[in-house]
Amino acid sequence: MAFSGLFAAALLAQTNGESWLRDAALQKALAAPLAIQSDNEPLRVFLERLSQSQRVAYFLDRRLDPSTPRDLTQDEQSLRSIFFSAAAPQGGGACSIGDFVYLGPGDVVAALPELLTKLRRDVRMLPGDAKKVWQRSLPLQFARLSRPAQLLLDLANVNGLTLVDVESVPHDLWPEVNLPAMSLAERFACLLVGLNKWPEISAEGKTVRIVELKLPQEIAQTYNTEQRNELTDWIRQTIPDAKVERKSAGLIVSTSPINQHEIARWLVDHETIRRAQTATATKVVTLNATASVGTISRQVAAQLGIEFNCTADLEPKLKAQVEINVDKVSYDDLLTKVFANTGLSFQLDERQLRVFSK
């Protein structure tokens, strides 16, 4: 398949970097392999760059130092594992919470999904009107230098709730946050978990008490992995008191949250990427032209009928001129040549061509 009218088609509009991926699109992005290069970058700077380029929202627990420099270079790792690896040097990890990624201490990351499941179950037991309030889905957004105690008070007041023991919330100043829609219960949990606190909802749903966060002594996690035998051997050697049940292609492991974190870290370290064969992967292109990186990449997206996604701060790099002479190569191979020596990388699938910094 050759380009026809390469420079005639109209350029596609950019996608707002804060238009977060959600639901199935988010899960697909988290599973997709990426090449990443980060040299001595503060954790938050790296996360902001990764979040904006991939359109994946994140929340960084205050117990992880955002200024800690970190190096991470990966030729091929899933986005989910990249988030985890970013937190790992501080003993942390990452997990998906609704439509965003939470990064925090390893034991909290491991236990948080179960804690949220219990919180949602408690909400479902509330009286009808109160349940509607607690299940109401809205984004969590606040400005830079916000104080957590005031955020909690505002959240309670706007929803007609009584907040108890807010004086136990330590003083802090937080960065700007913009997260996708989530329930009121999840918003309270998100604001409190990094303070080692948790919301306790009264039986009538009108009062929320701030209590100390208590992690369960043991949780059960299911791990579906092709490396089931290797993982089983590692668990038996490293965590001999863990309860391991083999089921279908996976394992059900019952152990402490910190041990679950160590298992998750083992899986990240031993991750095997399997690329799905897509329709775009079977198409070939012939091109002999000199043009800007942005012109060629946008026209690739137009030819494939997919979205072109690049944040505004990368536009200067897209102006670089490249000379391309290829005959019947895959679009992946073409784009690899186009983006060589630009400091940029790309992800191509059946939905979009996404450009981001290495």
Coordinates of all heavy atoms in Angstrom, one line a residue, residues 47-80:
L47 N 6.4 11.0 35.8 CA 5.0 10.6 35.8 C 4.2 11.6 35.0 O 3.2 11.1 34.3 CB 4.5 10.5 37.2 CG 5.1 9.3 38.0 CD1 4.6 9.4 39.5 CD2 4.7 8.0 37.4
E48 N 4.4 12.9 35.1 CA 3.6 13.8 34.3 C 3.8 13.6 32.9 O 2.9 13.7 32.1 CB 4.0 15.3 34.7 CG 3.4 15.7 36.1 CD 1.9 15.8 36.0 OE1 1.4 16.3 35.0 OE2 1.3 15.4 37.0
R49 N 5.1 13.4 32.5 CA 5.4 13.2 31.0 C 4.7 11.9 30.5 O 4.1 11.9 29.5 CB 6.9 13.1 30.9 CG 7.4 13.0 29.4 CD 8.8 13.3 29.3 NE 9.7 12.4 30.0 CZ 10.2 11.3 29.5 NH1 9.9 10.9 28.3 NH2 11.0 10.5 30.2
L50 N 4.8 10.9 31.3 CA 4.2 9.6 30.9 C 2.7 9.7 30.9 O 2.1 9.2 29.9 CB 4.6 8.5 31.9 CG 4.2 7.1 31.7 CD1 4.9 6.6 30.4 CD2 4.5 6.2 32.9
S51 N 2.1 10.3 31.9 CA 0.7 10.5 32.0 C 0.1 11.2 30.8 O -0.9 10.8 30.2 CB 0.3 11.2 33.3 OG -1.1 11.5 33.3
Q52 N 0.7 12.4 30.5 CA 0.2 13.2 29.4 C 0.4 12.5 28.0 O -0.5 12.6 27.2 CB 0.9 14.6 29.4 CG 0.6 15.4 30.6 CD -0.9 15.8 30.7 OE1 -1.5 16.1 29.6 NE2 -1.5 15.8 31.8
S53 N 1.5 11.9 27.8 CA 1.8 11.3 26.5 C 0.9 10.1 26.3 O 0.5 9.8 25.2 CB 3.2 10.9 26.4 OG 3.6 9.8 27.3
Q54 N 0.5 9.4 27.4 CA -0.3 8.2 27.2 C -1.8 8.4 27.5 O -2.6 7.5 27.4 CB 0.3 7.0 28.1 CG 1.7 6.7 27.9 CD 2.0 6.3 26.4 OE1 1.3 5.4 25.9 NE2 2.9 7.1 25.8
R55 N -2.1 9.6 28.0 CA -3.5 9.9 28.4 C -4.0 9.0 29.5 O -5.2 8.6 29.5 CB -4.4 9.9 27.1 CG -4.1 11.0 26.1 CD -4.9 10.8 24.8 NE -6.3 10.7 25.1 CZ -7.2 10.2 24.3 NH1 -6.8 9.6 23.2 NH2 -8.5 10.2 24.5
V56 N -3.2 8.7 30.4 CA -3.5 7.9 31.5 C -3.3 8.7 32.8 O -2.2 9.1 33.1 CB -2.7 6.6 31.6 CG1 -2.9 5.8 32.8 CG2 -3.0 5.7 30.3
A57 N -4.4 8.9 33.6 CA -4.3 9.6 34.8 C -3.7 8.8 35.9 O -3.8 7.6 35.9 CB -5.8 10.1 35.2
Y58 N -3.0 9.6 36.8 CA -2.4 8.9 38.0 C -2.5 9.7 39.2 O -2.8 10.9 39.2 CB -0.9 8.6 37.7 CG 0.0 9.9 37.9 CD1 0.6 10.1 39.1 CD2 0.1 10.8 36.9 CE1 1.4 11.3 39.3 CE2 0.8 12.0 37.1 CZ 1.5 12.2 38.3 OH 2.2 13.3 38.5
F59 N -2.4 9.1 40.4 CA -2.4 9.8 41.7 C -1.2 9.2 42.4 O -1.0 8.0 42.6 CB -3.6 9.5 42.5 CG -3.7 10.3 43.7 CD1 -4.3 11.6 43.7 CD2 -3.3 9.8 44.9 CE1 -4.4 12.4 44.8 CE2 -3.4 10.6 46.1 CZ -3.9 11.8 46.0
L60 N -0.3 10.2 42.9 CA 0.9 9.8 43.6 C 0.7 10.0 45.1 O 0.5 11.1 45.6 CB 2.1 10.7 43.1 CG 3.5 10.4 43.7 CD1 3.9 8.9 43.5 CD2 4.5 11.4 43.3
D61 N 0.8 8.9 45.8 CA 0.7 8.9 47.3 C 1.8 9.8 47.9 O 3.0 9.8 47.4 CB 0.9 7.5 47.8 CG 0.6 7.4 49.3 OD1 1.3 8.0 50.1 OD2 -0.4 6.6 49.6
R62 N 1.5 10.7 48.8 CA 2.4 11.6 49.4 C 3.6 10.9 50.1 O 4.7 11.6 50.4 CB 1.7 12.5 50.4 CG 1.2 11.7 51.7 CD 0.2 12.5 52.5 NE 0.8 13.6 53.2 CZ 1.3 13.5 54.5 NH1 1.2 12.3 55.1 NH2 1.8 14.5 55.1
R63 N 3.5 9.6 50.4 CA 4.6 8.9 51.1 C 5.7 8.5 50.1 O 6.8 8.0 50.6 CB 4.0 7.7 51.8 CG 3.2 8.0 53.0 CD 2.4 6.9 53.6 NE 1.3 6.6 52.8 CZ 0.3 5.7 53.1 NH1 0.4 5.1 54.2 NH2 -0.7 5.5 52.3
L64 N 5.5 8.7 48.8 CA 6.6 8.5 47.9 C 7.1 9.9 47.5 O 6.4 10.8 47.1 CB 6.1 7.8 46.6 CG 5.6 6.4 46.8 CD1 5.3 5.8 45.4 CD2 6.5 5.5 47.6
D65 N 8.4 10.1 47.7 CA 9.0 11.4 47.4 C 9.0 11.7 45.9 O 9.7 11.1 45.1 CB 10.5 11.4 47.9 CG 11.1 12.7 47.8 OD1 10.6 13.7 47.3 OD2 12.3 12.8 48.3
P66 N 8.3 12.8 45.5 CA 8.2 13.1 44.1 C 9.4 13.7 43.5 O 9.6 13.7 42.3 CB 7.0 14.2 44.1 CG 7.1 14.8 45.4 CD 7.5 13.7 46.4
S67 N 10.4 14.1 44.4 CA 11.6 14.8 43.9 C 12.7 13.8 43.7 O 13.8 14.1 43.2 CB 12.0 15.9 44.8 OG 12.4 15.3 46.1
T68 N 12.5 12.5 44.1 CA 13.6 11.5 44.0 C 14.0 11.3 42.5 O 13.1 10.9 41.7 CB 13.2 10.2 44.6 OG1 12.8 10.4 46.0 CG2 14.3 9.1 44.5
P69 N 15.2 11.5 42.2 CA 15.6 11.2 40.8 C 15.6 9.7 40.5 O 15.9 8.9 41.4 CB 17.1 11.8 40.7 CG 17.4 12.2 42.0 CD 16.3 12.0 43.0
R70 N 15.3 9.4 39.3 CA 15.2 8.0 38.9 C 15.6 7.8 37.5 O 15.4 8.7 36.6 CB 13.8 7.4 39.2 CG 12.7 8.4 39.0 CD 11.8 8.3 37.9 NE 11.4 6.9 37.7 CZ 11.7 6.2 36.7 NH1 12.5 6.8 35.7 NH2 11.3 5.0 36.5
D71 N 16.2 6.7 37.2 CA 16.6 6.3 35.8 C 15.7 5.1 35.4 O 15.6 4.1 36.2 CB 18.1 5.9 35.7 CG 19.0 7.1 36.0 OD1 18.7 8.2 35.5 OD2 19.9 7.0 36.7
L72 N 15.2 5.1 34.2 CA 14.4 4.0 33.7 C 14.5 3.9 32.2 O 14.1 4.9 31.5 CB 12.9 4.1 34.2 CG 12.0 2.9 33.7 CD1 12.5 1.6 34.3 CD2 10.6 3.2 34.1
T73 N 15.1 2.9 31.7 CA 15.2 2.7 30.3 C 14.7 1.3 30.0 O 15.2 0.3 30.5 CB 16.6 2.8 29.8 OG1 17.1 4.2 30.0 CG2 16.7 2.6 28.3
Q74 N 13.7 1.2 29.2 CA 13.1 -0.1 28.8 C 12.8 -0.1 27.4 O 12.2 0.8 26.8 CB 11.7 -0.3 29.6 CG 11.9 -0.5 31.1 CD 12.5 -1.9 31.4 OE1 12.5 -2.8 30.6 NE2 12.9 -2.0 32.7
D75 N 13.3 -1.2 26.7 CA 13.0 -1.3 25.3 C 11.6 -1.7 25.0 O 10.9 -1.3 24.1 CB 14.0 -2.3 24.7 CG 15.4 -1.8 24.6 OD1 15.6 -0.6 24.5 OD2 16.3 -2.7 24.7
E76 N 11.0 -2.6 26.0 CA 9.7 -3.1 25.8 C 9.1 -3.5 27.1 O 9.5 -4.5 27.6 CB 9.7 -4.2 24.8 CG 8.3 -4.5 24.2 CD 8.4 -5.5 23.1 OE1 8.8 -6.7 23.4 OE2 8.2 -5.2 21.9
Q77 N 8.2 -2.7 27.6 CA 7.5 -3.1 28.9 C 6.1 -2.5 28.8 O 5.9 -1.5 28.2 CB 8.3 -2.5 30.1 CG 7.8 -3.0 31.4 CD 8.7 -2.4 32.6 OE1 9.2 -1.3 32.5 NE2 8.8 -3.2 33.6
S78 N 5.2 -3.2 29.4 CA 3.8 -2.7 29.4 C 3.7 -1.4 30.2 O 4.5 -1.2 31.2 CB 2.9 -3.7 30.0 OG 3.0 -3.9 31.4
L79 N 2.8 -0.5 29.9 CA 2.6 0.7 30.6 C 2.3 0.5 32.0 O 2.8 1.2 32.9 CB 1.5 1.5 29.9 CG 1.2 2.9 30.5 CD1 2.4 3.8 30.6 CD2 0.0 3.5 29.8
R80 N 1.5 -0.6 32.3 CA 1.2 -0.9 33.7 C 2.5 -1.2 34.5 O 2.6 -0.7 35.6 CB 0.3 -2.1 33.7 CG -0.1 -2.6 35.1 CD -1.0 -3.8 35.1 NE -2.4 -3.4 34.7 CZ -2.9 -3.7 33.5 NH1 -2.2 -4.3 32.6 NH2 -4.1 -3.3 33.2

